[in-house]
């Protein structure tokens, strides 16, 4: 490593090195800037730098030699090239000399290329020796293209040249029409020669029909060609795989694709990989106006629905203990499902017959009895304005499905005839335990006595808790914050404690003198605590600088 490199590294280390105090001040300044207590840092252009930007983003790399804080290294500092969109001028010629010039092509005489790269037919005698038919100089251009421009296959294409393609197709179409017309005229002439001249005028209409039939409707497509509009040949026994035969797409190409029926983004989802759309793209449209209602319609109708019901029946039968499996024995599963449907229909018909036998059939042709037709009778019933019966019919009291007025366990009342403290009970003995034995008046008196005793005990306990507890005044510890007045210290022991404290602080300042096997004594005496108080430096003491 050279001297200059070592010197630059030393300067960089000197610049980046910070002492512990400087580092602490820098952290405090950053925290103050984040809290808004200090002004934000300013870059070279006078713009404030956001203090919440992390250091790995705000600090510039070492190879940029940034002296001041800046965020320029985070911006795009490479300027984009001004790529051109033009192309070569084809066939453009510049100056055409009359005599051969030194350094020009020996074959054609142009100055823009040499003999090796000349695109003209090689002459028997070059223009260098004949000075005849000197070729003009080509226009040489150089373009700086971007990534897409270099790979654009249509770059430099002149759209006006497509008119020649259109003209070729139109000429071909005109020739085809002319040929078809000639063939039509030939067929008409052949028909005319074969006709007998003595035909009546009635056949004139039929001749016109034949002439119209000979005309070719160019807008229609031959049926044989139309049948193979979506023919797909599949390979057999090859790496591509496939099956024998062809596959035909039954959708007419003129129909609107399913993904174009509703262009709303939130409409039915179309999967381009499987070409499926499960939901209905037009759910609000009239059913007669829709030719596609979603792929789910195929799953919920026809044989797909029957197969689904067959699977469900097999699963339910297997769960109920029957030895049936749809994949292992499909014929057995289908036979059981058919027998299940037959039995189900039989049960339905039996149930229907029982209901009709009990309540009658309103859809039958038998006449309904007259007294039931209009619901009339000779019995007179009188109602009030609210619809309640006044007379003419006995008022039937509603009956409960539970047993009423049943007394158990010697009780004279039922459960729920008494309520107290959010609890139901028996009124005869005031018990809140259901199905308990009745104790009568003795039980009521015993319950009241126990309640009174419990209240007296609670009152006695509350009175005992309210009385203050007399506690002994304990003496403060010698190492507490307050020193008792009657504390007596031994002067010799105090001097020894001061020496021990000084030795301990000296050992803390120089940890190299500490040995591996350190003996520690956790017994603290009053003299040790007093020595610690005397040697302790209080930060808020104004005379702390003069103590040591």
């Amino acid at each position: 490593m050279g001297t200059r490199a070592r010197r630059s590294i030393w300067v960089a280390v000197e610049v980046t090195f910070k002492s512990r105090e400087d580092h602490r001040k820098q952290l405090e300044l950053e925290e103050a800037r984040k809290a808004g207590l200090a002004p934000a840092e300013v870059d070279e252009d006078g713009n404030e730098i956001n203090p919440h930007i992390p250091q790995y983003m705000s600090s510039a790399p070492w190879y940029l030699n940034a002296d001041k804080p800046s965020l320029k290294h985070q911006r795009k500092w490479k300027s984009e090239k001004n790529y051109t969109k033009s192309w070569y001028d084809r066939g453009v010629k510049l100056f055409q000399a009359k005599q051969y010039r030194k350094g020009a092509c020996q074959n054609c005489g142009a100055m823009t290329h040499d003999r090796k790269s000349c695109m003209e037919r090689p002459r028997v005698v070059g223009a260098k020796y004949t000075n005849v038919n000197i070729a003009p100089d080509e226009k040489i251009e150089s373009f700086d293209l971007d990534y897409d421009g270099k790979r654009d296959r249509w770059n430099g294409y002149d759209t006006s040249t497509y008119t020649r393609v259109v003209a070729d197709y139109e000429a071909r179409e005109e020739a085809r029409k002319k040929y078809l017309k000639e063939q039509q005229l030939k067929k008409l002439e052949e028909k005319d020669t074969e006709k007998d001249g003595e035909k009546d005028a009635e056949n004139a209409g039929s001749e016109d029909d034949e002439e119209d039939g000979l005309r070719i409707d160019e807008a229609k497509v031959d049926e044989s060609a139309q049948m193979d509009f979506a023919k797909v040949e599949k390979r057999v026994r090859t790496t591509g795989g496939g099956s024998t035969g062809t596959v035909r797409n039954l959708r007419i190409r003129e129909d609107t694709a399913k993904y174009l029926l509703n262009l709303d983004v939130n409409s039915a989802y179309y999967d381009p990989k499987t070409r499926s759309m499960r939901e209905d793209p037009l759910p609000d449209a009239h059913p007669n106006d829709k030719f596609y209602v979603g792929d789910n319609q195929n799953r919920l109708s026809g044989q797909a629905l029957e197969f689904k019901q067959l699977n469900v029946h097999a699963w339910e039968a297997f769960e109920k203990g029957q030895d049936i499996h749809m994949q292992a024995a499909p014929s057995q599963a289908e036979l059981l499902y058919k027998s299940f449907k037959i039995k189900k229909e039989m049960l339905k018909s039996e149930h229907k017959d029982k209901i009709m036998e009990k309540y009658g059939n309103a859809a039958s042709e038998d006449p309904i009895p007259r007294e039931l037709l209009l619901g009339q009778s000779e019995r007179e019933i009188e109602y009030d304005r609210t619809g309640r019966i006044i007379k003419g019919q006995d008022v039937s009291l509603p009956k409960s499905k539970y047993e009423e007025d049943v007394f158990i366990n010697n009780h004279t009342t039922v459960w729920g005839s008494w309520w107290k403290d959010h609890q139901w009970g028996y009124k005869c003995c005031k018990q809140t335990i259901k199905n308990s034995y009745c104790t009568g008046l003795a039980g009521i008196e015993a319950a009241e006595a126990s309640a009174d005793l419990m209240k007296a005990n609670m009152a006695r306990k509350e009175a005992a808790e309210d009385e203050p507890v007399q506690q002994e005044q304990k003496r403060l510890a010698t190492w507490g914050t307050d020193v008792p007045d009657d504390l007596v210290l031994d002067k010799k022991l105090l001097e020894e404690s001061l020496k021990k404290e000084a030795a301990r602080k000296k050992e803390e300042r120089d940890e190299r003198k500490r040995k591996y096997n350190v003996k520690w004594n956790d017994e603290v005496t009053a003299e040790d605590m007093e020595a610690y108080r005397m040697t302790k430096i209080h930060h808020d003491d104004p005379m702390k600088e003069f103590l040591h």
Side-chain angles (χ1 to χ4, degrees), residues 261-470:
L261 294 174
N262 192 351
L263 300 180
D264 188 7
V265 181
N266 299 323
S267 62
Y269 174 71
Y270 174 75
D271 187 9
K273 186 175 181 180
T274 59
R275 299 181 182 178
S276 61
M277 182 182 287
R278 297 186 178 183
E279 299 178 2
D280 188 3
L282 300 172
D284 300 332
H286 195 271
N288 297 332
D289 299 337
K290 294 188 294 186
F291 69 92
Y292 178 75
V293 292
D295 296 338
N296 286 338
Q297 184 68 20
N298 300 329
R299 301 180 182 181
L300 302 176
S301 61
Q303 295 182 352
L305 183 59
E306 296 178 0
F307 184 72
K308 182 179 178 182
Q309 292 174 355
L310 177 59
N311 280 327
V312 173
H313 174 262
W315 297 337
E316 292 177 351
F318 181 78
E319 289 177 357
K320 292 178 181 178
Q322 294 188 11
D323 189 10
I324 179 174
H325 197 278
M326 182 62 194
Q327 282 72 31
S331 301
Q332 179 188 4
E334 188 173 359
L335 184 62
L336 289 175
Y337 180 59
K338 287 182 179 179
S339 63
F340 167 74
K341 288 196 296 184
I342 293 171
K343 291 180 181 178
K344 188 176 180 181
E345 291 295 332
M346 291 174 62
L347 289 174
K348 278 186 177 180
S349 61
E350 290 178 2
H351 186 63
K352 183 179 178 181
D353 294 340
K354 289 181 180 179
I355 293 175
M356 292 174 63
E357 184 180 355
K358 185 175 182 179
Y359 299 102
N361 187 8
S364 62
E365 298 179 355
D366 299 336
I368 301 175
R370 186 173 181 83
E371 58 272 10
L372 298 179
L373 184 61
L374 301 176
Q376 296 177 356
S377 64
E378 297 180 356
R379 188 173 181 180
E380 184 179 356
I381 301 173
E382 186 177 353
Y383 300 89
D384 61 357
R385 291 185 177 180
T386 59
R388 291 177 295 187
I389 298 174
I390 299 175
K391 64 178 182 178
Q393 186 178 2
D394 297 335
V395 180
S396 60
L397 298 175
K399 294 183 179 180
S400 174
K401 66 178 181 178
Y402 302 101
E403 295 179 352
E404 297 182 359
D405 299 332
V406 177
F407 306 109
I408 61 174
N409 296 336
N410 203 26
H411 286 286
T412 57
T413 56
V414 295
W415 168 261
S417 59
W418 186 64
W419 168 265
K420 185 178 181 182
D421 296 336
H422 302 282
Q423 288 183 340
W424 294 102
Y426 298 99
K427 187 177 181 181
C428 55
C429 58
K430 297 185 179 179
Q431 291 194 56
T432 58
I433 302 173
K434 194 174 183 180
N435 297 329
S436 62
Y437 195 80
C438 183
T439 56
L441 296 174
I444 296 174
E445 292 175 358
E448 290 178 354
S450 63
D452 295 340
L453 182 59
M454 185 174 63
K455 290 180 180 179
N457 291 336
M458 291 176 64
R460 191 183 304 110
K461 186 177 180 180
E462 290 178 358
E465 289 178 355
D466 293 340
E467 293 179 359
V469 179
Q470 295 182 358

Side-chain angles (χ1 to χ4, degrees), residues 108 239 249 339 391:
C108 64
T239 56
N249 188 1
S339 63
K391 64 178 182 178

Side-chain angles (χ1 to χ4, degrees), residues 220-261:
K220 292 184 179 179
V221 184
D222 190 9
E223 292 182 358
S224 61
Q226 190 176 3
M227 289 297 292
D228 298 333
F229 66 93
K231 186 176 180 181
V232 179
E233 297 287 346
K234 286 195 173 182
R235 296 167 287 184
V236 184
R237 293 180 184 177
T238 60
T239 56
S243 59
T244 311
T246 60
V247 178
R248 301 183 185 277
N249 188 1
L250 300 179
R251 186 178 74 85
I252 303 175
R253 309 308 297 177
E254 286 76 12
D255 292 344
T256 307
K258 64 176 82 172
Y259 53 85
L260 297 178
L261 294 174

Side-chain angles (χ1 to χ4, degrees), residues 83-310:
Y83 297 109
T84 180
K85 299 295 182 181
S86 58
W87 197 245
Y88 302 100
D89 294 336
R90 297 182 179 180
V92 177
K93 305 296 182 180
L94 299 178
F95 176 72
Q96 184 176 7
K98 296 181 179 180
Q99 291 184 352
Y100 180 78
R101 294 162 292 179
K102 186 178 180 181
C105 177
Q106 297 180 5
N107 184 41
C108 64
M111 288 290 293
T112 52
H113 60 270
D114 55 0
R115 184 174 184 178
K116 187 182 293 186
S117 59
C118 184
M119 301 298 294
E120 194 174 307
R121 179 181 59 82
R123 302 182 185 181
V124 179
V125 181
K128 179 179 179 180
Y129 306 103
T130 59
N131 283 331
V132 179
N133 296 330
I134 303 297
D137 300 338
E138 295 94 351
K139 183 179 180 181
I140 298 176
E141 298 176 285
S142 60
F143 300 108
D144 191 7
L145 301 175
D146 55 355
Y147 182 86
D148 295 331
K150 292 177 182 178
R151 291 157 181 79
D152 188 6
R153 58 182 296 199
W154 296 101
N155 198 354
Y157 177 73
D158 188 7
T159 55
S160 61
T161 57
Y162 189 71
T163 55
R164 291 181 291 179
V165 179
V166 176
D168 293 342
Y169 273 94
E170 290 178 353
R172 191 180 305 172
E173 188 71 17
E174 291 292 334
R176 188 177 67 86
K177 290 180 179 179
K178 185 177 180 181
Y179 174 76
L180 292 175
K181 192 171 184 180
E182 291 176 356
Q183 294 294 329
Q184 181 181 358
L185 292 174
K186 286 182 181 179
K187 289 182 180 181
L188 290 174
E189 290 176 358
E190 292 175 359
K191 291 287 183 179
D192 292 338
T193 54
E194 293 176 0
K195 287 179 183 178
D196 193 6
E198 296 180 357
K199 286 185 179 181
D200 299 331
E202 297 176 356
N203 298 332
S206 62
E207 290 176 3
D208 294 338
D209 295 339
E210 290 178 0
E211 292 177 3
D212 294 338
L214 291 174
R215 296 175 183 175
I216 299 174
D217 190 2
E218 299 175 1
K220 292 184 179 179
V221 184
D222 190 9
E223 292 182 358
S224 61
Q226 190 176 3
M227 289 297 292
D228 298 333
F229 66 93
K231 186 176 180 181
V232 179
E233 297 287 346
K234 286 195 173 182
R235 296 167 287 184
V236 184
R237 293 180 184 177
T238 60
T239 56
S243 59
T244 311
T246 60
V247 178
R248 301 183 185 277
N249 188 1
L250 300 179
R251 186 178 74 85
I252 303 175
R253 309 308 297 177
E254 286 76 12
D255 292 344
T256 307
K258 64 176 82 172
Y259 53 85
L260 297 178
L261 294 174
N262 192 351
L263 300 180
D264 188 7
V265 181
N266 299 323
S267 62
Y269 174 71
Y270 174 75
D271 187 9
K273 186 175 181 180
T274 59
R275 299 181 182 178
S276 61
M277 182 182 287
R278 297 186 178 183
E279 299 178 2
D280 188 3
L282 300 172
D284 300 332
H286 195 271
N288 297 332
D289 299 337
K290 294 188 294 186
F291 69 92
Y292 178 75
V293 292
D295 296 338
N296 286 338
Q297 184 68 20
N298 300 329
R299 301 180 182 181
L300 302 176
S301 61
Q303 295 182 352
L305 183 59
E306 296 178 0
F307 184 72
K308 182 179 178 182
Q309 292 174 355
L310 177 59

